[in-house]
Amino acid sequence: MKLAQLLEHITYTVLQGETERDISTLVYDSRKVEEGSVFVCISGAVRDGHDFAGEVAEKGASVLIVEKPVDVPEQVTVLQVENSRVALAELSAAYFGHPADELTTIGITGTKGKTTATYMVRSILEASGFRTGLIGTIETIIGDETIPSVNTTPESYVVQESFRKMADAGCKCVVMEVSSQALMLHRVGGFVFDYGIFTNLEPDHIGPNEHKDLADYIYCKSLLFRQCKHGIFNADAHHLEEILKGHTCEVETYGFGEDADIRASDVHLMDKGGTLGVAYHMSGTMEMDVEIDIPGTFSVYNSLTAIAICHHFGVSKETIAESLSKVRVKGRVELLPVSPKFTVMIDYAHNAMSLESLLSTLKEYHPKRLVCLFGCGGNRSRDRRFEMGEVSSKLADLTIVTSDNPRDEKPEDILADIVVGVEKADGEYVTIIDRAEAIRYAIENAKEGDVVVLAGKGHEDYQEICGKKYHMDERELVADVVKDGNFLK
């Protein structure tokens, strides 16, 4: 490949060397450099790629993309750019032949709902004959291949590489979660989304290694709508005006208000015995009745998101209704078939805000008891433990405090912190360190009409202890209890 082909869409200054040369690969990881590579020096939070300039030159890198001068042999071409992350995105798009041009690209951002909405969209589009790739928190789906995810939104090189694989596999669309970090770090640079979606926004991801404050978090979310052709927004969301500030896209809305383009009304909760769901009537640009076997008002919003998107693909009402009635998302209010007499679900809620939202929603179904099983991760803020403990004790009838990913901490120390929060409210609680034993206790002691929530792990199928991951899938643990059948006797 010619270097000039990679450089078409970036602005740069030649510090040394020639731009008329052949290159072999594009890399941003010094361990992957080979003869003829273009190496992009990324200034990361932990390591600075510029520090590896000499090393990659020795390995055979022929071109370095930098933000500041580096000392390398004169035969190495050095090109200076203003922002190497922006450059990596543009270079990656060119390196893989601009695959986004061959796909209809859909990006979903927001504090909550991204994961569920992406699966809903994919389910509807696939059922309508649009082969659709997916990139998100749980996995990347390319045709029949699934790849476990490390980040909600991967690095720009991986995004473009995935796009290329999707296009080559015959995909016509891609739906992806777009995190605020991804927007801040230009991971989705190098192309324009066909559709950008805003689900909601609450204070989150604010801290030393994330966003400096709420204003920065909002601003980064808003960047998607300066990079998409058509924007679809939750009209009821907090901070909507701030998200819309500076937008360059067409605007469409959904929600409960009369001014929304797609509106939900006549919402009613459903309890089918072991399965909780919600139904509502939709009007506006489309009119139909919708029923979903996922509980809560947030499921109404998630489904409205999916419907608003898929409406642009000419999908029939029948296909939308059937797809939404069947969609399930691993680890997101995931209902498990245990007993028709009580409900068991797994959810990823792993902070006080998400746990409060989940438990408040479930209380609306008026269970005989609401039972919440959860733990907190080690090597993380102790405040989260106090907060989650207090929330669970306030909202749940019984809290089962157990282990999550203790990492390098003693599980009993983490549980002791959670109990401090639990005892600030008046809910009953028990502590069982071993998570498998805790799950068995929760199910074997469930009463008719109970809702039992296993919170915190969600889609994860491991437990991290002292730097090592051990297989632990809550679905398997629940299945073992069901197999023994020692409950509701």
Side-chain angles (χ1 to χ4, degrees):
M1 187 175 193
K2 297 291 184 182
L3 176 59
Q5 292 176 257
L6 286 187
L7 302 176
E8 286 178 349
H9 296 287
I10 70 169
T11 301
Y12 58 90
T13 301
V14 180
L15 298 186
Q16 69 179 54
E18 301 294 330
T19 57
E20 293 298 323
R21 61 190 311 168
D22 294 323
I23 55 99
S24 58
T25 59
L26 174 68
V27 294
Y28 58 96
D29 183 339
S30 61
R31 296 167 295 184
K32 296 181 179 179
V33 168
E34 58 186 57
E35 194 71 32
S37 290
V38 176
F39 178 70
V40 184
C41 297
I42 301 293
S43 300
V46 179
R47 291 187 173 183
D48 187 343
H50 296 80
D51 296 338
F52 297 91
E55 177 186 323
V56 299
E58 286 183 12
K59 287 183 176 180
S62 59
V63 181
L64 267 62
I65 308 295
V66 302
E67 294 178 344
K68 53 193 175 186
V70 292
D71 185 15
V72 292
E74 61 182 14
Q75 69 266 24
V76 178
T77 296
V78 180
L79 308 177
Q80 185 171 355
V81 296
E82 183 176 346
N83 186 312
S84 57
R85 285 192 177 276
V86 173
L88 177 61
E90 295 286 2
L91 293 167
S92 298
Y95 183 71
F96 288 104
H98 300 284
D101 294 346
E102 302 169 40
L103 300 163
T104 298
T105 50
I106 305 163
I108 302 179
T109 197
T111 305
K112 296 180 290 187
K114 297 188 297 295
T115 301
T116 299
T118 55
Y119 280 89
M120 285 182 170
V121 170
R122 182 175 185 273
S123 176
I124 296 169
L125 291 179
E126 286 269 330
S128 303
F130 296 96
R131 199 167 193 196
T132 304
L134 182 147
I135 300 174
T137 301
I138 299 174
E139 61 196 352
T140 292
I141 303 175
I142 304 171
D144 298 325
E145 180 185 10
T146 59
I147 306 161
S149 295
V150 177
N151 298 314
T152 296
T153 312
E155 188 55 81
S156 58
Y157 178 95
V158 179
V159 169
Q160 295 294 334
E161 181 182 40
S162 299
F163 283 2
R164 171 45 57 203
K165 290 179 179 178
M166 290 173 186
D168 291 348
C171 290
K172 300 302 179 185
C173 311
V174 55
V175 57
M176 65 182 294
E177 297 181 50
V178 183
S179 68
S180 56
Q181 286 280 302
L183 289 159
M184 180 174 71
L185 299 175
H186 308 286
R187 292 177 185 165
V188 289
F191 70 101
V192 174
F193 282 96
D194 292 293
Y195 298 95
I197 295 86
F198 170 64
T199 62
N200 52 65
L201 192 140
E202 301 292 343
D204 198 11
H205 300 293
I206 297 169
N209 297 321
E210 295 184 279
H211 299 283
K212 61 182 180 181
D213 52 31
L214 179 60
D216 183 59
Y217 181 50
I218 294 171
Y219 170 74
C220 288
K221 289 287 189 190
S222 74
L223 293 175
L224 177 60
F225 306 101
R226 307 177 192 193
Q227 193 190 327
C228 71
K229 298 173 185 175
H230 190 91
I232 300 173
F233 302 83
N234 178 352
D236 304 332
H238 298 303
H239 307 290
L240 177 58
E241 289 186 9
E242 295 153 279
I243 291 292
L244 282 167
K245 188 176 181 180
H247 77 275
T248 57
C249 59
E250 296 177 358
V251 174
E252 179 183 347
T253 60
Y254 63 89
F256 285 87
E258 285 298 318
D259 293 335
D261 296 308
I262 291 181
R263 301 179 293 279
S265 60
D266 190 26
V267 176
H268 53 282
L269 307 179
M270 303 182 301
D271 185 344
K272 301 178 181 179
T275 299
L276 305 179
V278 64
Y280 65 93
H281 180 72
M282 187 183 70
S283 57
T285 52
M286 286 187 74
E287 185 149 349
M288 61 183 290
D289 291 318
V290 181
E291 186 174 306
I292 316 160
D293 286 342
I294 304 174
T297 303
F298 54 78
S299 296
V300 176
Y301 280 115
N302 288 336
S303 58
L304 285 174
T305 301
I307 294 169
I309 296 166
C310 295
H311 172 62
H312 290 275
F313 290 80
V315 180
S316 71
K317 295 178 184 179
E318 293 75 18
T319 299
I320 290 174
E322 185 177 0
S323 297
L324 288 177
S325 70
K326 295 178 180 178
V327 71
R328 303 289 184 273
V329 183
K330 189 176 183 181
R332 300 304 191 274
V333 273
E334 179 185 355
L335 297 167
L336 301 182
V338 176
S339 168
K341 296 185 178 181
F342 61 87
T343 301
V344 178
M345 67 178 64
I346 294 175
D347 192 80
Y348 190 50
H350 59 287
N351 58 40
M353 180 180 67
S354 56
L355 187 63
E356 182 172 19
S357 174
L358 174 65
L359 297 180
S360 297
T361 292
L362 296 175
K363 283 183 78 70
E364 294 177 0
Y365 287 83
H366 304 293
K368 180 171 184 178
R369 292 188 310 165
L370 180 55
V371 179
C372 179
L373 179 152
F374 79 96
C376 289
N379 304 95
R380 298 293 187 270
S381 170
R382 292 180 69 200
D383 289 341
R384 176 177 290 189
R385 303 169 191 175
F386 306 142
E387 293 165 357
M388 289 185 71
E390 186 173 2
V391 163
S392 183
S393 189
K394 282 181 178 178
L395 296 173
D397 298 289
L398 172 64
T399 296
I400 303 174
V401 183
T402 188
S403 191
D404 193 294
N405 291 322
R407 299 186 176 89
D408 297 320
E409 290 193 64
K410 293 181 179 179
E412 54 265 35
D413 292 342
I414 299 173
L415 268 66
D417 283 343
I418 296 171
V419 168
V420 170
V422 169
E423 292 183 339
K424 289 183 178 180
D426 57 2
E428 294 183 15
Y429 73 94
V430 296
T431 59
I432 304 173
I433 288 181
D434 185 275
R435 197 172 182 102
E437 290 182 14
I439 290 172
R440 180 172 291 276
Y441 175 89
I443 295 174
E444 289 185 348
N445 289 277
K447 300 177 181 179
E448 187 167 353
D450 281 359
V451 172
V452 179
V453 181
L454 313 180
K457 297 295 292 176
H459 59 278
E460 293 178 354
D461 60 0
Y462 63 86
Q463 190 170 42
E464 187 176 343
I465 304 171
C466 296
K468 186 174 180 180
K469 290 184 177 180
Y470 297 86
H471 178 75
M472 189 193 74
D473 190 324
E474 292 188 324
R475 294 148 202 82
E476 296 172 6
L477 297 178
V478 170
D480 288 342
V481 180
V482 172
K483 184 178 179 181
D484 294 342
N486 296 321
F487 56 91
L488 279 183
K489 289 186 177 180

